[in-house]
Amino acid sequence: MAEAEMARRAPRQLTEMRDVYDLLEEVRLRPGMWVRGSSLQHLDSMLLGYHVALRVHGAKEELDFRQGGPFANWLWPRLGYEYGSSLGWSVEIERAAEATDRPAIELFFELLDEFRAEQGQPGVSEVEGAGVSGRHSVV
């Protein structure tokens, strides 16, 4: 979704969110509010806390962002790795972003949209009616 379109959407309350992807769309809308310095390592820590809360409360939601989870396993070949990185997806996306002189949070959301499209999950673009963007070169 274009930044101008995202800026027009009002932030949602926590009680309006259904899953981790709704939370991530709020992060996309206002990354500076949710993630210190737009650091993907901080986002990864936040998602770990989300995962822990799911388990503590017995929620049935699966989390794609854990180490060795679906997102990381999809990401490694996308970034040119034959095997997963022990440093985790957040570090490797930050490295790829630095190598291409792009903001890491921007690259994360681009990759997230691609992941969701390939997994057949509706992304924010589809939900909002804007269509999913095409595949872009990362590195």
Side-chain angles (χ1 to χ4, degrees), residues 44-55:
D44 191 11
S45 294
M46 185 173 85
L47 292 173
L48 175 62
Y50 185 96
H51 179 74
V52 169
L54 289 174
R55 296 297 166 255

Side-chain angles (χ1 to χ4, degrees), residues 3-44:
E3 286 184 40
E5 292 175 26
M6 287 298 297
R8 285 186 234 137
R9 186 176 67 74
R12 291 180 285 181
Q13 298 294 317
L14 289 174
T15 56
E16 297 176 87
M17 296 180 209
R18 296 166 294 150
D19 59 18
V20 70
Y21 290 104
D22 282 352
L23 175 62
L24 286 170
E25 289 310 321
E26 295 307 304
V27 173
R28 182 193 310 246
L29 182 64
R30 296 172 24 187
M33 185 185 111
W34 291 94
V35 183
R36 183 184 317 149
S38 294
S39 164
L40 294 185
Q41 293 177 59
H42 288 287
L43 178 62
D44 191 11

Side-chain angles (χ1 to χ4, degrees), residues 6-138:
M6 287 298 297
R8 285 186 234 137
R9 186 176 67 74
R12 291 180 285 181
Q13 298 294 317
L14 289 174
T15 56
E16 297 176 87
M17 296 180 209
R18 296 166 294 150
D19 59 18
V20 70
Y21 290 104
D22 282 352
L23 175 62
L24 286 170
E25 289 310 321
E26 295 307 304
V27 173
R28 182 193 310 246
L29 182 64
R30 296 172 24 187
M33 185 185 111
W34 291 94
V35 183
R36 183 184 317 149
S38 294
S39 164
L40 294 185
Q41 293 177 59
H42 288 287
L43 178 62
D44 191 11
S45 294
M46 185 173 85
L47 292 173
L48 175 62
Y50 185 96
H51 179 74
V52 169
L54 289 174
R55 296 297 166 255
V56 166
H57 295 287
K60 300 295 183 206
E61 181 181 345
E62 288 300 315
L63 190 65
D64 292 339
F65 303 97
R66 65 189 187 283
Q67 183 77 342
F71 179 72
N73 290 336
W74 170 87
L75 181 66
W76 303 135
R78 179 72 178 82
L79 293 180
Y81 290 98
E82 188 172 337
Y83 302 102
S85 167
S86 61
L87 297 176
W89 60 263
S90 59
V91 170
E92 297 303 344
I93 293 173
E94 286 181 344
R95 286 180 172 182
E98 184 177 342
T100 58
D101 199 30
R102 299 178 61 193
I105 197 102
E106 177 184 297
L107 180 55
F108 167 75
F109 282 113
E110 180 181 307
L111 291 165
L112 178 63
D113 290 344
E114 290 179 21
F115 169 74
R116 293 189 75 192
E118 289 182 22
Q119 300 298 310
Q121 300 174 359
V124 69
S125 300
E126 292 171 345
V127 172
E128 300 286 337
V132 177
S133 63
R135 198 170 174 93
H136 301 283
S137 177
V138 178

